[in-house]
Amino acid sequence: MSSADHSAVSTPVQPDTVQPTYSNNSGASTPVLNEPLDKLKESQVSPGDWEEKDASLPVRPFSDYITVCLLCLCVAFGGFMFGWDTGTISGFINQTDFLRRFGSTNSEGVRYLSQVRTGLVVSIFNIGCALGGIILSKLGDVYGRKFGLSAVVGIYIIGIIIQIASINKWYQYFIGRIISGLGVGGIAVLSPMLIGESAPKHLRGPLVSCYQLMITAGIFLGYCTNYGTRNYSNSVQWRVPLGLGFAWSLFMLGGLTRVPESPRYLCEVGKVEEAKRSLAISNKVSVDDPSLLAELDIIMSGVEAEKLAGSASWGELFSTKTKVFQRLLMGILIQALQQLTGNNYFFYYGTSIFGSVGLEDSFQTSIIIGVINFASTFGALYTVEHFGRRLCLLWGAATMMACMVIYASVGVTRLHPNGMDAPTSQGAGNCMICFTMFYIFCYALTWAPIAWVVTAEVFPLRVKSKCMSLASASNWLWGFLISFFTPFITGAINFYYGYVFVGCLCFSFFYVFFFIPESKGLTLEEINEMWLEGVLPWKSADWVPAAKRGAGYDAEELKHDDKPWYKRMI
């Protein structure tokens, strides 16, 4: 059986026989799966017959999904605001007016930001994001994903206002960044969640990856804006980029008015008719389409099964029987490892780093980083679904590790051939910049978007917001640690710092191979089924849902492997 897709090997019922049954729209009673759907697991025919008679939602030409993609882009635009902050703050800390207002004066009368203040101003945003993800993601469970997103965008706007109003007190700007971080943290949970729950399964990977695409677009345009305002001598340098945050916020709020609510959330709160309309919009079918009714039946069955277990508590996150704890640990680690690849080492301190390798205008190099990061992420929209999550993460870790080894080695051995006080080697500096670009290309193509894809699709519905908030909090926490301590670490060990990320990337490669299963081409309910069956991650690409298995399918074979660990990787 091919690992490229989860091929079907049995025949479902004829589509026109599928009719879901519900007592009412309250969702209080358990839906009854019809006899035809129950027979899905019993009938076995050839794969060709399955393709002809499949009752699942049909895959249409991509042109039919343009509207759906645009709606998902409106949701994913929340990532733009995070990217905008990342791109602009890296320039703020080097701008003259920002240093004059919020810096200190050294013995020579020059204004500067101390390492502590630099670390706090840059990285406190991440702490706000971590808290916002944990606290504000609850809005999505109580009031719906759309309302929750609108609310956290409003909080982001409040933070922007406080930052713009700062005159000469660095701690006021500091407070504004915390509040903006709260909003972005909520966005980082609810935006991928809404896309993952609404997108057609064959487009879920690319559309969730659009969240990262918007981050890269924000970083790139943030770099460009810094470059355009750097020659001003007043607060235009930083207040204009901050003020543009209003435009992005209003654009997203306007787009959300056109976006349908998550069908899985609507099923959870008993709004079945609205869920049907939402599914119809996302999958370009009519509300009475038999395949849509079959899909709705499956979603409702999963929702009702989770309701029978009672309200989800924080304690349930530690359940190993339902594999929730294993998935939570995986989500936390995959988000932490995304940060430990070293990406923010370049994004937050790009202008400072390239100034240290001898560039006269490091802002220009930062723009080049932004261009490569943005353009490469478009490639991820293809690779994530064509090659799958696992393969992309494995290749990403390996290639980034090679780039970081060269970057760090050249910085340590060749950049300062005549000592730290002597001029830097232009050839070595160019080599380091070149491999930085290769690194950014590999990161944007793999780990940058796919970490968000994995966490958006792996958790059961009833605990999804809690698990995603903790996973994203891990991302923000490690982002804070890296951005806060980078000035101190680079000041102490300089480019040896790159070897720290090399070790993390090596660990990432082995972790992905042994612990992250493939989920390409599966519905969210099928992903949950795969986890509950205990399939070995390195065999997961051959897994087939129970309803689509033939007589010769051996599910037990995917749960065991007697080979030594090093032979499993061959």
Side-chain angles (χ1 to χ4, degrees):
M1 183 174 294
S2 171
S3 61
D5 62 347
H6 298 263
S7 300
V9 291
S10 66
T11 302
V13 296
Q14 296 290 348
D16 56 4
T17 65
V18 181
Q19 295 295 335
T21 304
Y22 309 105
S23 61
N24 51 44
N25 284 355
S26 67
S29 63
T30 303
V32 179
L33 283 177
N34 296 303
E35 181 182 355
L37 283 177
D38 292 335
K39 289 181 179 178
L40 285 175
K41 298 182 181 181
E42 300 173 3
S43 57
Q44 290 118 14
V45 295
S46 66
D49 291 338
W50 168 268
E51 292 172 1
E52 295 176 3
K53 302 178 182 180
D54 189 0
S56 62
L57 289 165
V59 176
R60 300 178 181 276
F62 179 75
S63 58
D64 287 351
Y65 294 101
I66 291 177
T67 302
V68 177
C69 293
L70 290 175
L71 292 175
C72 286
L73 278 174
C74 290
V75 179
F77 195 78
F80 187 94
M81 289 182 276
F82 170 49
W84 181 260
D85 180 90
T86 302
T88 53
I89 192 63
S90 66
F92 289 176
I93 59 176
N94 292 285
Q95 289 173 341
T96 54
D97 187 75
F98 195 86
L99 294 173
R100 180 177 63 81
R101 291 172 181 270
F102 305 118
S104 305
T105 305
N106 62 18
S107 57
E108 299 176 356
V110 177
R111 300 290 289 179
Y112 75 103
L113 284 175
S114 67
Q115 289 182 335
V116 173
R117 192 170 296 183
T118 299
L120 286 174
V121 167
V122 171
S123 59
I124 197 61
F125 183 81
N126 297 77
I127 294 298
C129 290
L131 294 174
I134 294 173
I135 298 170
L136 299 178
S137 62
K138 182 66 175 176
L139 293 173
D141 284 342
V142 178
Y143 301 106
R145 315 315 192 210
K146 281 181 58 177
F147 178 85
L149 269 174
S150 300
V152 295
V153 171
I155 293 173
Y156 171 79
I157 291 174
I158 294 172
I160 291 292
I161 293 173
I162 295 174
Q163 290 176 71
I164 291 177
S166 303
I167 297 176
N168 55 16
K169 299 294 189 294
W170 74 271
Y171 48 82
Q172 180 181 347
Y173 188 86
F174 176 83
I175 292 170
R177 279 185 62 75
I178 294 176
I179 295 174
S180 291
L182 290 171
V184 171
I187 292 170
V189 175
L190 296 173
S191 180
M193 183 188 298
L194 177 55
I195 298 172
E197 292 179 356
S198 303
K201 68 178 182 181
H202 66 287
L203 293 176
R204 187 176 63 242
L207 290 178
V208 174
S209 296
C210 284
Y211 177 77
Q212 179 64 29
L213 178 66
M214 290 294 101
I215 293 177
T216 62
I219 292 173
F220 167 57
L221 291 180
Y223 285 157
C224 292
T225 304
N226 281 342
Y227 184 75
T229 62
R230 76 194 192 288
N231 292 326
Y232 286 90
S233 58
N234 54 20
S235 63
V236 168
Q237 289 181 327
W238 55 277
R239 280 195 169 124
V240 167
L242 279 175
L244 285 172
F246 286 112
W248 317 140
S249 304
L250 294 175
F251 176 84
M252 184 172 179
L253 289 173
L256 285 175
T257 62
R258 308 292 299 173
V259 174
E261 181 58 89
S262 160
R264 286 168 172 83
Y265 167 78
L266 292 171
C267 287
E268 191 175 31
V269 298
K271 298 180 179 180
V272 179
E273 291 302 317
E274 291 185 35
K276 287 170 62 177
R277 288 193 291 271
S278 179
L279 278 172
I281 293 171
S282 298
N283 293 278
K284 300 296 288 186
V285 296
S286 70
V287 292
D288 297 321
D289 189 283
S291 60
L292 181 144
L293 298 177
E295 182 81 3
L296 184 67
D297 216 6
I298 294 171
I299 294 173
M300 283 299 300
S301 297
V303 168
E304 294 297 338
E306 292 182 353
K307 283 185 177 181
L308 292 175
S311 300
S313 64
W314 286 97
E316 186 177 337
L317 303 188
F318 298 95
S319 170
T320 56
K321 182 178 179 181
T322 58
K323 302 294 178 68
V324 170
F325 178 71
Q326 291 91 323
R327 284 180 267 186
L328 174 62
L329 186 61
M330 187 201 74
I332 289 173
L333 280 172
I334 199 73
Q335 289 286 355
L337 291 172
Q338 187 207 53
Q339 290 296 317
L340 290 169
T341 59
N343 61 90
N344 280 339
Y345 171 59
F346 298 110
F347 291 140
Y348 280 120
Y349 296 101
T351 53
S352 302
I353 292 169
F354 293 117
S356 70
V357 300
L359 289 177
E360 294 182 0
D361 192 346
S362 54
F363 282 93
Q364 293 179 351
T365 307
S366 294
I367 291 177
I368 297 173
I369 286 180
V371 170
I372 293 175
N373 188 34
F374 180 48
S376 301
T377 307
F378 279 99
L381 304 184
Y382 171 79
T383 58
V384 65
E385 208 62 46
H386 185 76
F387 297 107
R389 286 56 158 160
R390 276 174 56 83
L391 191 61
C392 288
L393 290 173
L394 289 170
W395 275 103
T399 52
M400 283 190 289
M401 181 166 53
C403 292
M404 190 65 81
V405 165
I406 296 172
Y407 171 88
S409 299
V410 172
V412 168
T413 62
R414 294 289 185 268
L415 185 62
H416 298 280
N418 300 314
M420 295 297 293
D421 296 329
T424 58
S425 167
Q426 184 176 357
N430 290 339
C431 178
M432 293 175 70
I433 293 171
C434 179
F435 277 95
T436 297
M437 303 310 171
F438 279 128
Y439 170 93
I440 297 298
F441 170 77
C442 297
Y443 172 75
L445 203 60
T446 57
W447 278 78
I450 295 178
W452 297 106
V453 174
V454 170
T455 53
E457 63 188 14
V458 70
F459 302 116
L461 182 64
R462 64 198 304 270
V463 295
K464 176 170 284 190
S465 65
K466 292 182 174 67
C467 290
M468 285 189 67
S469 66
L470 290 176
S472 63
S474 170
N475 185 295
W476 302 122
L477 176 61
W478 282 100
F480 164 77
L481 293 173
I482 291 170
S483 56
F484 180 77
F485 288 108
T486 287
F488 302 98
I489 297 173
T490 54
I493 63 175
N494 211 346
F495 293 104
Y496 282 101
Y497 192 26
Y499 293 121
V500 175
F501 299 121
V502 170
C504 294
L505 286 164
C506 182
F507 173 80
S508 300
F509 182 90
F510 287 99
Y511 180 76
V512 169
F513 185 87
F514 287 107
F515 293 100
I516 297 184
E518 182 56 69
S519 54
K520 181 188 74 169
L522 300 175
T523 67
L524 299 182
E525 290 73 25
E526 288 169 346
I527 293 171
N528 187 53
E529 180 187 345
M530 178 177 64
W531 270 91
L532 292 175
E533 284 196 7
V535 176
L536 294 174
W538 55 94
K539 293 187 175 185
S540 59
D542 292 325
W543 182 82
V544 176
K548 303 177 183 180
R549 295 173 185 171
Y553 183 83
D554 185 4
E556 291 299 316
E557 195 274 335
L558 300 181
K559 303 177 186 179
H560 307 285
D561 196 339
D562 296 327
K563 296 177 183 177
W565 68 270
Y566 53 88
K567 289 188 177 181
R568 298 173 187 174
M569 304 185 69
I570 300 175

